[in-house]
Amino acid sequence: MKKIVIAIDGFSSCGKSTMAKGLAKKLGYIYIDSGAMYRAVTLFALQNGFFDGDKIKTDELKSKINDINISFKLNENGQPETFLNCENVEKKIRTMEVSSHVSPIAALPFVREILVIQQRKMGDKKGIVMDGRDIGTTVFPNAELKIYVTASAEIRAQRRYDELKVKGENNSFDEILKNVVERDHIDMTREVSPLRKADDAIELDNSNLTIDEQLEYLVKLVESKIA
Ligand code: CDP
């Protein structure tokens, strides 16, 4: 069967990764979480002392950018996990500390340039679902199917709160909501590849959709594209 490229973009914590993962599994496609790559660079910057408070030591990060090797491997449950220079960092990149530093890192042009090259390589054989902020606009402008996901900031913060709680991280709802709103702002107003709906993307507000309803809707869209 013909394979296509599926780009899923949208605001933080709107369930893009659950959606993209579920769809990739159903179709037998590769799933790539591009946000995990920006998170891994952020973790690298934190671990190497490239933050002075909230300020990034840009020149130092730039000089080490080629030392950063990010890859994905499937765990025993078939779930992709993120590796930074051979270390499994899947848990470490999901903490609030990384969440609160990632958007300024993702706004740096030299970081985007290098990650976009890697992301395009991952999709050169098609059969891929990638989620992020600029997948339909910059990484794969010719993707056959583009989805732009939205949901209210409160619903997104609640989802992230529940997700972190299950993982044993107890953050306040207000702190998470603040982070979600701040990241949206930085992601939409940065100069390079800001978050925006591609002209040919289909907008999906999933505030009131269950995961199954969402998946069913997406599978129908894929079928119509392939036919
Ligand atoms: O899962 P969540 O919505 O929290 O975000 P993520 O997908 O893990 O992405 C983390 C951050 O990386 C975002 O807030 C963006 O600043 C940045 N990002 C980006 O700039 N471009 C992408 N393609 C993916 C993520």
Side-chain angles (χ1 to χ4, degrees):
M1 204 193 291
K2 182 184 155 198
K3 290 200 166 181
I4 64 171
V5 172
I6 302 172
I8 301 188
D9 289 302
F11 295 106
S12 71
S13 315
C14 61
K16 295 182 303 293
S17 60
T18 307
M19 179 187 284
K21 240 184 248 173
L23 187 60
K25 192 167 175 212
K26 181 99 186 164
L27 301 170
Y29 279 22
I30 292 170
Y31 162 62
I32 299 292
D33 173 357
S34 68
M37 300 171 76
Y38 291 95
R39 285 174 178 273
V41 174
T42 306
L43 181 66
F44 180 89
L46 285 165
Q47 286 176 337
N48 287 279
F50 296 160
F51 275 96
D52 184 2
D54 280 345
K55 210 173 153 285
I56 305 165
K57 297 179 185 168
T58 313
D59 289 342
E60 291 181 40
L61 176 60
K62 200 171 189 174
S63 73
K64 292 279 180 236
I65 197 78
N66 290 316
D67 296 353
I68 304 180
N69 190 344
I70 303 165
S71 58
F72 296 98
K73 283 188 197 130
L74 295 182
N75 67 14
E76 63 279 8
N77 302 319
Q79 297 292 327
E81 295 193 329
T82 313
F83 284 72
L84 169 62
N85 295 338
C86 302
E87 183 198 345
N88 185 336
V89 291
E90 187 54 36
K91 277 210 183 82
K92 288 187 186 164
I93 60 168
R94 309 286 168 191
T95 59
M96 273 304 280
E97 196 194 10
V98 170
S99 293
S100 57
H101 289 87
V102 62
S103 286
I105 291 278
L108 297 171
F110 67 91
V111 171
R112 303 204 71 83
E113 198 179 313
I114 203 157
L115 294 189
V116 168
I117 292 172
Q118 295 177 16
Q119 290 155 4
R120 287 192 179 138
K121 258 191 215 143
M122 294 169 177
D124 62 4
K125 295 196 177 66
K126 302 214 173 197
I128 189 167
V129 184
M130 191 175 290
D131 75 341
R133 302 292 189 283
D134 61 338
I135 312 304
T137 51
T138 302
V139 181
F140 298 125
N142 297 324
E144 287 85 350
L145 178 61
K146 298 180 187 176
I147 308 288
Y148 187 77
V149 199
T150 63
S152 77
E154 284 72 17
I155 286 188
R156 292 186 281 121
Q158 187 64 48
R159 288 176 182 163
R160 182 50 50 99
Y161 176 82
D162 295 341
E163 188 187 329
L164 288 170
K165 203 167 170 191
V166 170
K167 290 181 184 160
E169 255 207 72
N170 284 313
N171 301 282
S172 79
F173 174 82
D174 289 346
E175 185 192 359
I176 292 173
L177 180 60
K178 188 166 162 269
N179 175 252
V180 160
V181 172
E182 262 171 22
R183 278 201 284 141
D184 287 352
H185 178 73
I186 301 176
D187 294 348
M188 284 189 296
T189 54
R190 69 177 174 226
E191 269 180 34
V192 187
S193 302
L195 168 66
R196 68 167 182 84
K197 178 181 167 296
D199 294 338
D200 51 350
I202 297 169
E203 189 162 339
L204 171 63
D205 181 339
N206 70 357
S207 302
N208 299 307
L209 285 182
T210 65
I211 290 172
D212 287 345
E213 285 167 346
Q214 186 171 274
L215 184 60
E216 199 182 318
Y217 169 79
L218 290 169
V219 168
K220 284 203 183 109
L221 279 179
V222 173
E223 282 166 359
S224 71
K225 291 287 172 189
I226 290 174

